[in-house]
Amino acid sequence: MASAASSPTAPLITDDTVPDAVVVRFAGDSGDGMQLTGGQFTLSTALAGNDLATFPDFPAEIRAPQGTLFGVSAFQINFGSSDITTAGDAPDILIAMNPAALKTNVSDLKAGGLIIADSGEFSERNLVKAKYDHNPLEDNSLSRWQLLAFDISALTLESVKPFGLGNKEALRCKNMWTLGLALWLFDRDRQPIIDWLHAKFAKTPELAEANIAALNAGHAYGETAELAVPVKQLHLPPAPAQEGLYRTVTGAEAISLGLVAGAQLAGLPMFFGGYPITPASAILHHLSRLKEYDVTTFQAEDEIAAIASAIGASYAGSLGITSSSGPGIALKGEAMGLAIMTELPLVIVNSQRGGPSTGLPTKTEQSDLYQAVYGRNGDAPMPVIAARSPADAFDVAIEAVRIAIQYMTPVMILTDGYIANAAEPWKVPDMSAYEPFKATFLDHVPEGGLKPYARNEKLARPWIKPGTPDLMHRIGGIEKEVNTGHINYGPANHQAMTELRRDKVLGIAKGLTQDIAIGEARGKLAVVGWGSTFGPIHQAVRRVRRKGHDVAHIHIRHIWPLPENLGELLKGYDQILVPEMNTGQLKTLLRDQYLVDAKPLNKISGQPFRIAEIEAAIEGMLA
C-alpha cells in the first residue's frame, strides 16, 4: 500500500529532529472537503495549545470541473510551540488528494518535505486533466521530496463498508480518513472531532458513524502501517501563552464580534445592511446569529440598497453598518458621499480581493487603499483604518465604531481575503477593560435655538433622532448651510463646509501615536506596512535583525488620517521599504504626505507575501 521515491538526505521528521513549527497544506478538489478538514485540524491544533495561523485558498470557480487544475482547493496551517504570525512560506507536508492538487502545489513544498498522495485518484483520466504526461508517483520526478502514496480512496471505502453507503457518499468520508492520519502524525486527540461529527450529523447518525469510522481508520493506519519513508509521529509542545480563555477566530468572526462590542460600548442597537459578495459575506452570516445583542441584519437586493438602509438606520438612531468587497464598495460610493454630507455615523467594512472588476473573487489583495482614501466624488474625507490580523480585527472594529460615533462620520475598515478567511488563536478579552463611549442624542432645543450643524470640540454635529419634539431639521445630500443645515449653494458657504468636514476628519489624528513594532526610532531602514502584511514583515525583520542589521518594522493601523508623529518618525531612517499587495498605494500616500523616498515592494499575485521575499528585499536595500 505504501511507496516512496528516493528519500532526500534531510527528511522532515525523524527520531532526532523536533521542529518548533510545522507547515501542513491539505489540497484537493473543491468537493473533497479540504476547508472542512483544515478547519477541524485547526481545532485540534488549538486544543493542543499550539500557536497557529491558517491560510484557506479557495478556487475562484464556484464549482470547477472535478479534477481540473483551476478547481483545486487548499488549506495551509503553520503551527508549533513558538510565536506564529504567518501561515508559513513553504509547506513541510503536502497532502494531495488528486493529481491536480499535486501539480498546483508541489512546487511550493520544501526540499525534503513530505508528500502524502492518494494513489487511487491518479487514474489516466485524472492525470490528463492535470496535464501530466506520466504518473508522477512512478516516474521519479518527485525525488526531491519524501513520498508516501497509497490508495486513500480504497481504504476509505473499506472502512465505511459496514454502513451501507453508496460509493459517492462513502468517498465523501475520504477527508475524515485523511484527517485521522494527520491527527496520528501529530499526536492529536480524536475525541473533539468525534464530538463535532456527532453534532454535525445529529439528524443522520449513520453518516456520523461512517465519518467517525473513516477518521479512526486513518488514525489506525498511521499507528500500524509500515510506512516506506522515515516518518515518525511528532508531538509539538504547547506554545507559551498568557493565562486566559482562548479560542480560534477568523477575521470575519472577529470583525463581527468587534462591531457588536462597539455597539454595546456605544449603547446603541446595531443595524447591518449587506449584500452577498466574496469574501465579505461571512460577516453577514456571523452577525445574523447574534440577534440577542440587539443586532438587526438585512440582506438587501443590491449593494446600493445595503448601504442606503444602513444610512437610514443611523439617521433613525441606530449604529448603521455595511460591508462588501472592492466591486461592491465602488457601487456604494455615491451613498458614502451622502453619509459624509449628512455627517452620520456609519461603519463600512471592505474585505479586499483581487481586482479590478470581478477580478479574483477568492484571492487576496490590498489594492483598495486609493479607493478607501480618495474614491468618492468631491472632497469627501473619510477615516480609514486597517486590521493587521484576524484577531486584531476585533479591536479595529471597536475603534471604527468609536470614531464614527464621536466624530459623526462614516469610517471604512480595510481587511482582505486573507484576514477574512484565515484563523489564529485569540485571547478572549475582558470587556471591563474597554472604556465605553456612549452615544448621545440632542433631545431638547439648546439655548440660542436649534443648529443641526453646530460643532463640538471634535467638530462633530449633534445627532438628532427623527421625531424628537421641536427638533425638526433638514437633512440630505445637497450642501448644508453652516450651523443651520439649510440648503445653501453659496461659494463661501461651500468653502467653509468643505473645510469643516476636512478638518473634522484630520482632527482624528490628534493624539494618535504611531508605534514601532520592532526596532529603534532611528536607523538605516524602516520596513513600513499595513494590513495583512504584518506577519511576513514582522518575521522578515526579526530574521534580518538576528543577522545584526539595523532594521525596524512600522505597521500603520490608521491609514487616514495618518498618526501625527508618523512624518517625523519616518524621517529618522535612511531608507524606507513599503511591501504591499498592490502596485504601491501606501508608498504613494507616504511620499505625498511626507516627501520621503519610500521604495515599493509589490506583489499582485492573489497570494500573501512570503517571509523570504521580504527578507531578500531588505537585504538587497541594505547591500
Side-chain angles (χ1 to χ4, degrees):
M1 276 294 189
S3 63
S6 55
S7 197
T9 55
L12 167 69
I13 301 166
T14 65
D15 287 328
D16 55 359
T17 62
V18 180
D20 62 358
V22 174
V23 180
V24 178
R25 183 181 297 178
F26 300 89
D29 191 76
S30 57
D32 284 338
M34 292 297 94
Q35 303 305 322
L36 187 145
T37 303
Q40 292 307 305
F41 187 79
T42 299
L43 171 64
S44 74
T45 300
L47 291 172
N50 297 133
D51 198 7
L52 65 95
T54 71
F55 176 45
D57 192 10
F58 305 94
E61 301 288 338
I62 291 175
R63 186 64 181 93
Q66 194 168 0
T68 55
L69 295 171
F70 49 89
V72 173
S73 178
F75 186 101
Q76 183 163 306
I77 177 169
N78 182 13
F79 61 98
S81 52
S82 58
D83 181 32
I84 304 292
T85 60
T86 80
D89 275 14
D92 298 294
I93 299 174
L94 170 63
I95 299 174
M97 304 302 287
N98 63 10
L102 180 67
K103 183 79 171 276
T104 56
N105 290 281
V106 72
S107 60
D108 294 336
L109 190 63
K110 288 180 182 175
L114 172 64
I115 300 167
I116 298 176
D118 180 5
S119 61
E121 288 294 317
F122 281 69
S123 64
E124 188 65 34
R125 183 179 179 185
N126 283 345
L127 289 168
V128 169
K129 286 182 182 179
K131 304 189 186 307
Y132 274 119
D133 295 326
H134 304 93
N135 189 337
L137 305 183
E138 299 170 354
D139 66 2
N140 209 37
S141 61
L142 304 176
S143 58
R144 284 184 292 157
W145 303 285
Q146 300 174 84
L147 174 62
L148 179 61
F150 45 88
D151 195 338
I152 295 176
S153 299
L155 290 165
T156 302
L157 290 172
E158 183 65 28
S159 67
V160 301
K161 188 184 290 184
F163 301 96
L165 302 180
N167 200 62
K168 188 175 180 180
E169 278 188 318
L171 284 175
R172 284 179 180 159
C173 301
K174 189 165 61 169
N175 62 335
M176 285 297 110
W177 195 100
T178 307
L179 178 59
L181 179 63
L183 293 178
W184 169 82
L185 185 59
F186 294 101
D187 191 23
R188 297 287 166 72
D189 184 10
R190 282 164 286 162
Q191 192 58 47
I193 313 300
I194 292 170
D195 294 341
W196 173 80
L197 286 167
H198 278 304
K200 180 177 177 61
F201 296 108
K203 295 181 179 178
T204 50
E206 67 279 3
L207 291 181
E209 294 304 325
N211 278 280
I212 291 167
L215 180 81
N216 290 334
H219 193 276
Y221 187 87
E223 287 180 320
T224 60
E226 293 183 9
L227 304 182
V229 286
V231 177
K232 305 296 181 184
Q233 191 178 55
L234 180 67
H235 178 82
L236 274 68
Q242 296 177 344
E243 286 189 13
L245 176 64
Y246 285 81
R247 57 162 289 184
T248 59
V249 69
T250 66
E253 289 172 330
I255 281 277
S256 303
L257 293 170
L259 291 171
V260 173
Q264 296 283 308
L265 290 168
L268 292 172
M270 189 179 115
F271 176 92
F272 180 91
Y275 181 75
I277 184 171
T278 303
S281 302
I283 297 173
L284 173 60
H285 302 160
H286 291 306
L287 287 174
S288 67
R289 295 192 285 267
L290 298 173
K291 292 182 175 65
E292 66 270 30
Y293 297 103
D294 210 359
V295 175
T296 300
T297 53
F298 168 58
Q299 181 173 315
E301 64 268 30
D302 56 41
E303 295 283 8
I304 298 170
I307 187 171
S309 67
I311 293 171
S314 290
Y315 170 61
S318 293
L319 173 63
I321 312 280
T322 190
S323 82
S324 192
S325 190
I329 295 295
L331 290 167
K332 294 178 190 290
E334 183 183 357
M336 287 183 213
L338 175 63
I340 290 166
M341 181 65 86
T342 55
E343 299 188 51
L344 286 167
L346 177 73
V347 178
I348 304 143
V349 184
N350 182 354
S351 301
Q352 300 165 96
R353 71 190 205 186
S357 187
T358 309
L360 309 175
T362 62
K363 308 302 179 182
T364 194
E365 207 165 88
Q366 291 182 300
S367 53
D368 293 351
L369 186 146
Y370 285 162
Q371 183 187 40
V373 176
Y374 303 119
R376 291 161 295 281
N377 68 292
D379 282 296
M382 185 163 70
V384 180
I385 57 179
R388 71 185 193 183
S389 70
D392 185 53
F394 177 81
D395 286 319
V396 163
I398 292 175
E399 173 72 348
V401 174
R402 182 191 68 81
I403 292 171
I405 298 298
Q406 293 185 345
Y407 290 85
M408 291 293 286
T409 178
V411 180
M412 186 176 289
I413 299 172
L414 291 176
T415 69
D416 57 41
Y418 175 63
I419 288 177
N421 295 318
E424 66 179 349
W426 176 53
K427 185 181 178 184
V428 179
D430 176 6
M431 291 308 298
S432 66
Y434 287 75
E435 190 74 30
F437 39 86
K438 296 295 182 184
T440 57
F441 295 91
L442 186 62
D443 58 4
H444 63 279
V445 178
E447 187 176 337
L450 174 62
K451 295 178 180 177
Y453 279 79
R455 309 282 166 175
N456 64 14
E457 71 283 357
K458 290 183 168 66
L459 298 184
R461 77 172 188 89
W463 197 357
I464 306 171
K465 288 184 182 180
T468 305
D470 303 321
L471 298 185
M472 183 183 296
H473 62 287
R474 187 184 301 274
I475 198 163
I478 295 177
E479 183 61 277
K480 306 292 174 291
E481 187 174 77
V482 173
N483 290 327
T484 69
H486 298 322
I487 292 173
N488 190 320
Y489 300 113
N493 180 78
H494 181 56
Q495 174 102 16
M497 287 297 284
T498 300
E499 290 175 352
L500 277 168
R501 290 189 292 264
R502 176 202 64 193
D503 293 345
K504 177 176 72 169
V505 171
L506 291 178
I508 296 167
K510 292 176 183 175
L512 287 181
T513 302
Q514 180 61 53
D515 62 359
I516 303 168
I518 309 178
E520 291 73 42
R522 305 184 68 83
K524 290 185 177 179
L525 175 65
V527 185
V528 182
W530 67 281
S532 65
T533 56
F534 177 85
I537 292 175
H538 207 65
Q539 294 295 346
V541 171
R542 276 183 179 175
R543 289 181 183 181
V544 175
R545 285 178 63 84
R546 281 198 292 264
K547 297 175 185 177
H549 293 298
D550 182 7
V551 184
H553 174 201
I554 296 170
H555 216 75
I556 302 173
R557 170 181 281 185
H558 290 268
I559 305 297
W560 192 261
L562 293 161
E564 38 177 15
N565 70 321
L566 182 59
E568 281 303 309
L569 184 60
L570 293 180
K571 288 172 183 175
Y573 299 93
D574 298 338
Q575 298 186 85
I576 297 168
L577 176 66
V578 185
E580 299 180 80
M581 293 186 291
N582 58 45
T583 55
Q585 297 183 18
L586 178 64
K587 171 267 300 177
T588 303
L589 187 65
L590 296 179
R591 286 180 176 180
D592 168 58
Q593 293 296 305
Y594 305 123
L595 302 179
V596 293
D597 187 19
K599 295 289 183 5
L601 174 62
N602 306 131
K603 184 172 184 177
I604 320 104
S605 65
Q607 300 292 318
F609 272 106
R610 295 184 177 185
I611 301 167
E613 292 170 333
I614 299 174
E615 185 179 5
I618 293 171
E619 292 180 339
M621 288 190 72
L622 292 173

